[in-house]
């Protein structure tokens, strides 16, 4: 089950021909499907898709996708960074597998965060200080990563804490 080696592929994303950032894939020699529920249990914000045997996770500026037969990472500058990031992810897979007896596997697909759930924790005054016309538009922006909580100066402490937990 542990990943001992992989075949590295680095390429320009098809949607961005000529881009100066690359995507990279570690092609594996055997399936890591069994480790995905354990990664789902320990990685905050992971999105597990059991039917597709896939799990995605945002790590810093990279989107990481774990599939049964490969691990992909986006937004790398060159082959060196690709290898560094993929080595980290392979190490994460191996450490998680080694610790599986201590982890309760999570087989649940992540539920999508609802804009209404976020909106209900905002001040709902539509004051526009965040640059959006309404608090609902700001809620969409928070979910999409276009905004941060710091951009709403009207948030009370309890609202901020609840949103930090939710997001
Ligand atoms: S600054 Fe806050 S309260 Fe004002 S519109 Fe934006 S989200 Fe709503």
């Amino acid at each position: 089950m542990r990943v001992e080696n992989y075949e590295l592929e680095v390429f320009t994303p098809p949607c961005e021909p000529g881009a100066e950032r690359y995507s990279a894939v570690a092609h594996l020699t055997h399936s890591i499907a069994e480790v995905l529920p354990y990664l789902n249990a320990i990685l905050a914000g992971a999105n597990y898709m059991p039917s597709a045997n896939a799990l995605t996770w945002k790590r810093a500026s990279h989107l990481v996708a774990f599939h049964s037969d490969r691990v992909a990472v986006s937004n790398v500058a060159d082959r060196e960074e690709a290898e560094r990031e993929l080595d980290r992810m392979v190490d994460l897979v191996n450490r998680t597998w080694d610790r599986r007896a201590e982890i309760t596997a999570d087989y649940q697909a992540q539920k999508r965060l609802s804009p209404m759930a976020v909106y209900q924790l905002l001040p709902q005054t539509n004051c526009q200080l965040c640059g959006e016309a309404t608090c609902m538009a700001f809620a969409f922006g928070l979910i999409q990563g276009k905004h941060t909580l710091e951009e709403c100066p009207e948030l009370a402490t309890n609202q901020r804490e609840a949103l930090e937990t939710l997001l």
Side-chain angles (χ1 to χ4, degrees):
M1 182 63 222
R2 292 182 108 260
V3 177
E4 302 300 343
N5 49 45
Y6 60 81
E7 188 182 322
L8 175 66
E9 180 189 8
V10 181
F11 58 94
T12 304
C15 54
E16 295 179 61
E20 291 182 4
R21 305 289 293 183
Y22 303 91
S23 293
V25 178
H27 294 279
L28 311 176
T29 52
H30 57 265
S31 173
I32 60 167
E34 283 181 69
V35 81
L36 299 184
Y38 294 96
L39 288 171
N40 191 35
I42 63 168
L43 296 179
N47 184 14
Y48 181 39
M49 292 154 277
S51 57
N53 258 338
L55 179 141
T56 57
W57 180 51
K58 187 105 170 39
R59 195 190 100 77
S61 62
H62 308 289
L63 183 64
V64 184
F66 298 90
H67 299 267
S68 58
D69 61 348
R70 65 195 185 280
V71 181
V73 62
S74 73
N75 195 32
V76 292
D78 50 30
R79 194 174 179 88
E80 194 180 322
E81 187 183 10
E83 274 185 294
R84 194 167 60 240
E85 288 301 321
L86 286 170
D87 282 349
R88 277 198 187 117
M89 294 305 100
V90 164
D91 186 49
L92 173 65
V93 167
N94 287 340
R95 281 186 288 114
T96 304
W97 182 248
D98 291 346
R99 289 181 46 229
R100 65 192 181 282
E102 306 159 26
I103 303 169
T104 303
D106 182 353
Y107 294 88
Q108 299 295 312
Q110 188 196 48
K111 292 182 186 64
R112 227 171 250 292
L113 191 55
S114 131
M116 183 54 76
V118 175
Y119 170 77
Q120 284 170 347
L121 293 168
L122 290 172
Q124 302 175 18
T125 59
N126 299 330
C127 71
Q128 304 186 352
L129 290 173
C130 58
E132 292 288 359
T134 63
C135 293
M136 184 55 97
F138 187 74
F140 273 100
L142 278 175
I143 291 172
Q144 291 166 351
K146 290 195 315 202
H147 287 301
T148 63
L149 295 177
E150 285 65 39
E151 292 172 89
C152 174
E154 301 295 296
L155 272 184
T157 304
N158 62 337
Q159 290 172 323
R160 176 183 301 277
E161 287 173 353
L163 282 164
E164 282 170 352
T165 303
L166 188 66
L167 295 165

